[in-house]
Amino acid sequence: MLKFIVSRFFQGLLALFCVLTLTFFLSRFAPGSPYTDEKQIPLHIREQMKEQMGLGDSIVVQWAKSMVDAATGFQGPSWGNSGFSVREVIGQAFPVSISVGLSGLFIALGIGVPAGVLAAAKRNTKIDYSLMSIALLGICLPTFVIGPIFAAIFGFQLQWFSAVGWNQPTDFLLPSLVLGLYYGAYIARLTRSGMLDTLSADFIRTARAKGLPEWRVMIIHALRGGLLPVVNYLGPAFSALITGSFVVESIFGLPGLGTHFINAAKNRDYNLIQGTVCVFAILILTLNFVADLLQAVLNPRLRNVSETAD
Amino acid sequence: MEAIETAPEFAAAEKGSSLGKDAWFRLKKNRLAMICLWVFVAITVLCVGGLPAEKLGLIADPNAINLEDRSVGPSAEYWMGTDHIGRDIFSRILAGGRISLMVGFLATLVSMTIGVVYGSVAGFFGGRLDSVMMRIVDILYALPFMIFVIILTTFFGNKLWLLFIAIGAVEWLTMARIVRGQVMSLKKMEFVEAARSLGLGNWKLIFRHLIPNTLGPVIIYTTLTVPAVMLLESVLSFLGLGVMPPDSSWGTLIKEGADRMLTTPWLLIFPALFFSATLFCLNFLGDGLRDALDPKTSKD
């Protein structure tokens, strides 16, 4: 087990290195530069800016500097947010993104799993059909359709939540609900099909034959296997949640990582691009690792294989 | 030599058509999938037919500004209303749909090509090459790919062809895995041995005999990739990073609608309706095709 964790850690570091290097060279070889502006900047000032930003060095030196900067925690300045280092910008944006993202994930699981279990338990009844129709509808209404509608209804008409900005602690509720509903619908469908697969297995029949109450069969015996497709989906879901958070942050005007990343890419704020990409990559790698661990916990067959392999 | 080479192909074609007929028969029995198929065909025909209709003057020019009819609600003249500078929403939806569908299909084609070739090479050669290639896929799965798409599209300008490549480069991973699995089981079959004993080279074997036999799963997964790609394109366009004016896609229309949601809701509702209906139909059609082409793995 320890061996697995250590090897995954180094694999993650390697992936992180590749991501940052790729981002670096993509951004340097692209047309446009931080001092491209509508206003014509005089040549000597442009040279001065270039010097100050360290863009006068050779590309390899710049790359090495940027890697060192990443390793020491992004203390370089963010050119798009003058006076702030990349670290400070990320430090302010990270809590916003993580609270919206994680509560979105929990809402998705909290709605999706019970709905899927209920639909599987009441298979081919009105409850099943209506739950699955709602889930289907949810899948076909992406975040950027639901978001503005919810903002209009709950934010502007009913005034339950504020529809724009990040001013009070409850401001994360509406964005994370919008984020969670879409993935919740997807998870509901996955849970239902996983549960149906498990419910036809022999050990479920045994459990029923022992005279266990139905809820015990469902929750204690079937759910473990039934959740496997959901856990398999978690890895891609994390990446999708990050994409979704870009959309949600844009709809609700939240000062999160996604907003900063998109602005940084538009303004060629190289330092901030590296910083935000690094945070996203760490998040995805960590959460994928958690998903793999969960999978091993839920699936005994997989666990045995990994143990004999070690 | 000629005759020998065409013989297996002929046999494959005959088997393919009968499989296709079978699948079509099963698909026809699935009422919901058939409805989805026809709704999707109708939307596509409507969008494509919008182009000649514009030229003939049957519907308004999607970019024609008419300041006298600003923000008019749905009416007999403007079926789905007009926006804040008097452009006809209905013809804008059709024009946007052409872009969205085109991106959806071309980017899927790119991803399908990469995935099929990559997966079949890995599956066919096996051994160390296979494990290295699949390890790369595993690592790529964990990368924040959306971020690279955003970097690519912002840095290199919003060119449509770039959008195809960027999205296609993201979506091929699952296809590669599926095709690899198929090829690995196919390559042990007798017809591959027969083709090899006739002196066929590796590459010819892959492209002539193995890839055509993976068609079923490839079709199913392609049908499911199209809506995923269209969703990705719309997200990018919604964020202002995808399709740029004067072009518009359903994503940009939804964005414009979302900005004016409170005063002119029809700007959001109608594009969203078309977009969601298309996603719904393609997803359901994909499920239906899975049941029709591969009855063993049908869900319940």
Side-chain angles (χ1 to χ4, degrees), chain A residues 35-166:
Chain A
Y35 39 83
T36 324
D37 204 350
E38 281 116 43
K39 286 170 285 186
Q40 198 67 42
I41 302 174
L43 196 66
H44 65 280
I45 296 182
R46 217 189 310 173
E47 285 304 314
Q48 225 173 3
M49 286 171 74
K50 212 170 160 178
E51 200 58 44
Q52 212 178 10
M53 291 171 173
L55 293 175
D57 302 330
S58 80
I59 192 95
V60 179
V61 174
Q62 285 185 44
W63 171 76
K65 275 186 182 166
S66 124
M67 288 297 131
V68 170
D69 189 40
T72 52
F74 297 103
Q75 307 196 330
S78 158
W79 302 321
N81 305 273
S82 37
F84 289 95
S85 73
V86 170
R87 194 199 189 111
E88 284 163 343
V89 173
I90 290 176
Q92 283 168 12
F94 188 73
V96 178
S97 293
I98 204 76
S99 46
V100 171
L102 279 186
S103 43
L105 180 66
F106 286 127
I107 289 174
L109 289 172
I111 294 176
V113 172
V117 171
L118 189 63
K122 309 271 176 198
R123 184 182 181 182
N124 294 340
T125 62
K126 266 185 193 149
I127 299 176
D128 179 20
Y129 292 142
S130 46
L131 277 175
M132 283 304 112
S133 311
I134 295 171
L136 249 181
L137 202 68
I139 287 179
C140 300
L141 290 173
T143 318
F144 54 87
V145 174
I146 282 205
I149 294 175
F150 270 38
I153 294 175
F154 297 111
F156 290 111
Q157 297 292 331
L158 300 174
Q159 306 249 325
W160 287 355
F161 306 97
S162 60
V164 174
W166 188 262

Side-chain angles (χ1 to χ4, degrees), chain A residues 8 98 102 105 234-235 238-239 241-242 281-293:
Chain A
R8 280 299 292 263
I98 204 76
L102 279 186
L105 180 66
L234 278 184
F238 296 135
S239 307
L241 271 177
I242 287 180
I282 290 177
L283 274 177
I284 291 180
L285 289 168
T286 317
L287 294 171
N288 268 307
F289 175 65
V290 173
D292 282 356
L293 280 185

Side-chain angles (χ1 to χ4, degrees), chain A residues 11 19 22-23 27 30 123 136 140-142 144 148 156 182 189 192 243 246-247 261 265 268 273 277 280 284, chain B residues 135 142-144 146-148 150-151 154-155 231 234-235 238-239 254 258 261-262 272 275-276 280 284 287 300:
Chain A
Q11 234 174 58
V19 169
L22 194 63
T23 315
S27 54
R123 184 182 181 182
L136 249 181
C140 300
L141 290 173
F144 54 87
F156 290 111
Y182 180 70
R189 273 166 53 103
R192 178 177 178 270
T243 311
F246 291 177
V247 174
F261 167 65
R268 305 289 193 274
I273 294 175
V277 167
F280 289 135
I284 291 180
Chain B
R135 206 68 215 115
L143 291 190
M146 181 67 181
I147 288 164
F148 286 121
I150 289 179
I151 290 179
T154 45
F155 283 4
L231 198 62
S234 304
V235 167
F238 185 87
L239 293 172
I254 290 172
M261 157 92 217
L262 289 175
F275 182 66
S276 297
F280 182 92
F284 243 88
D287 279 355
D300 45 337

Side-chain angles (χ1 to χ4, degrees), chain B residues 186-197:
Chain B
L186 280 172
K187 74 174 177 187
K188 298 193 187 95
M189 289 174 126
E190 281 95 354
F191 77 92
V192 176
E193 225 166 290
R196 202 197 291 275
S197 67

